[in-house]
Amino acid sequence: MTHFPKTELNSVHRLPQRGQYDKETIYRIVDEAKICHVGFAVDGQPFVIPTIHARDGDMLYLHGAKASRLLKHIAEGHPVCVTITLLDGLVLARSVFHSSMNYRSVVLFGCGTVVEEDAAKLHALEVLTNQLVAGRWEDARKPTPKELNATTVVALSLESASAKIRVGPPSDDEEDYALPIWAGVLPLRQQALELAPDPRLNAGIPAPEYLSDLVSGD
Ligand SMILES: Cc1cc2nc3c(=O)[nH]c(=O)nc-3n(C[C@H](O)[C@H](O)[C@H](O)COP(=O)(O)OP(=O)(O)OC[C@H]3O[C@@H](n4cnc5c(N)ncnc54)[C@H](O)[C@@H]3O)c2cc1C
């Protein structure tokens, strides 16, 4: 399946021309983002919790402490809604009404299960660690049995999804183009800055190449 089926749940109603349903577009946004926000309702009270995610095929891994309410909620089989937003620019229209943002966002729906088996859990943690920075799993100390036991990992099966994407200049009302007001886009991007070595880092340990490459933008 290359596209998520369009249903009442995931069809973009507002500005539908910005909606996309193909997995390639949706997964590119999911993989570029470092965090997601997971929405769930408990007894009618909504919560939206930011957390780390990592995709593995048509699954999304989340992890955390055993006591996490979010993870317990997923473990009980309840559905969740995950949103991911990449902000690409501020759209400064001539009018307040048309002021906006350029973005690539995704809304995902699914239910999850707890990853119980140790090998599968270690695999999920590898995917999550490499999502933080590709190559990190190889370097970092692996979880002890006690740490593994203290961590809950859930795998969300991505059943329905949509992307919504805005690009380009402002869309002002025709009569406003004559106004003497600057209009355009302030592009924005997330950028790696200089590394800040741990003050307790032992002498003689160089930064790994996968980090220095990120800083230099390679
Ligand atoms: C950075 C950013 C800033 C925004 N600012 C505003 C704002 O100030 N005001 C405003 O009204 N809207 C804003 N939006 C758009 C907003 O996310 C909604 O798309 C819009 O408000 C319509 O909401 P709705 O519930 O009527 O959506 P509907 O179109 O009714 O939603 C139906 C389905 O479409 C999909 N969908 C809706 N929105 C998105 C999305 N953003 N990404 C992926 N799938 C989506 C979901 O599957 C949803 O279940 C912004 C979006 C982003 C990413």
Side-chain angles (χ1 to χ4, degrees), residues 7-16 18-21 26 29 81-89 99-109 160-166:
T7 65
E8 189 45 41
L9 186 64
N10 70 336
S11 293
V12 175
H13 299 129
R14 174 97 188 95
L15 301 172
R18 293 186 184 164
Q20 296 195 31
Y21 304 90
I26 291 171
I29 296 168
C81 175
V82 180
T83 67
I84 289 174
T85 308
L86 299 172
L87 181 59
D88 294 326
S99 298
S100 187
M101 290 182 179
N102 280 339
Y103 58 79
R104 289 163 289 151
S105 62
V106 160
V107 174
L108 308 160
F109 299 97
S160 177
S162 54
K164 193 168 174 182
I165 299 176
R166 189 200 190 284

Side-chain angles (χ1 to χ4, degrees), residues 2 13 79 84 98 112 123 137 167 189:
T2 59
H13 299 129
I84 289 174
H98 288 296
H123 169 73
W137 177 259
V167 292
R189 68 156 187 250

Side-chain angles (χ1 to χ4, degrees), residues 134-181:
R136 192 62 187 164
W137 177 259
E138 279 305 305
D139 277 5
R141 177 181 66 71
K142 306 301 178 285
T144 62
K146 194 176 163 201
E147 288 170 340
L148 203 57
N149 190 43
T151 308
T152 297
V153 177
V154 295
L156 283 183
S157 150
L158 302 177
E159 287 142 22
S160 177
S162 54
K164 193 168 174 182
I165 299 176
R166 189 200 190 284
V167 292
S171 321
D172 270 308
D173 293 337
E174 202 45 51
E175 59 274 23
D176 286 346
Y177 282 88
L179 292 172
I181 301 170

Side-chain angles (χ1 to χ4, degrees), residues 1-186:
M1 189 174 67
T2 59
H3 286 63
F4 286 99
K6 266 181 83 174
T7 65
E8 189 45 41
L9 186 64
N10 70 336
S11 293
V12 175
H13 299 129
R14 174 97 188 95
L15 301 172
Q17 70 280 9
R18 293 186 184 164
Q20 296 195 31
Y21 304 90
D22 63 288
K23 286 190 176 178
E24 200 186 328
T25 302
I26 291 171
Y27 287 169
R28 210 178 306 125
I29 296 168
V30 171
D31 295 347
E32 185 175 330
K34 294 296 180 197
I35 60 159
C36 68
H37 288 79
V38 187
F40 59 104
V42 179
D43 299 331
Q45 171 63 56
F47 299 92
V48 179
I49 300 294
T51 191
I52 299 170
H53 67 277
R55 187 181 66 84
D56 192 10
D58 289 329
M59 275 187 324
L60 198 73
Y61 291 126
L62 309 175
H63 76 318
K66 276 223 151 116
S68 157
R69 180 180 50 197
L70 161 64
L71 298 179
K72 279 187 189 161
H73 183 81
I74 295 172
E76 286 163 7
H78 301 295
V80 294
C81 175
V82 180
T83 67
I84 289 174
T85 308
L86 299 172
L87 181 59
D88 294 326
L90 306 182
V91 178
L92 304 165
R94 291 159 186 81
S95 66
V96 168
F97 186 80
H98 288 296
S99 298
S100 187
M101 290 182 179
N102 280 339
Y103 58 79
R104 289 163 289 151
S105 62
V106 160
V107 174
L108 308 160
F109 299 97
C111 289
T113 51
V114 176
V115 180
E116 304 274 12
E117 204 254 318
D118 279 0
K121 209 166 164 182
L122 282 169
H123 169 73
L125 291 173
E126 177 176 351
V127 176
L128 279 156
T129 308
N130 282 337
Q131 164 71 5
L132 202 63
V133 176
R136 192 62 187 164
W137 177 259
E138 279 305 305
D139 277 5
R141 177 181 66 71
K142 306 301 178 285
T144 62
K146 194 176 163 201
E147 288 170 340
L148 203 57
N149 190 43
T151 308
T152 297
V153 177
V154 295
L156 283 183
S157 150
L158 302 177
E159 287 142 22
S160 177
S162 54
K164 193 168 174 182
I165 299 176
R166 189 200 190 284
V167 292
S171 321
D172 270 308
D173 293 337
E174 202 45 51
E175 59 274 23
D176 286 346
Y177 282 88
L179 292 172
I181 301 170
W182 189 90
V185 173
L186 174 63

Side-chain angles (χ1 to χ4, degrees), residues 188-211:
L188 296 174
R189 68 156 187 250
Q190 205 159 37
Q191 192 190 348
L193 302 178
E194 279 305 309
L195 290 168
D198 185 342
R200 295 189 56 181
L201 185 70
N202 288 337
I205 304 179
E209 215 169 273
Y210 54 78
L211 283 180

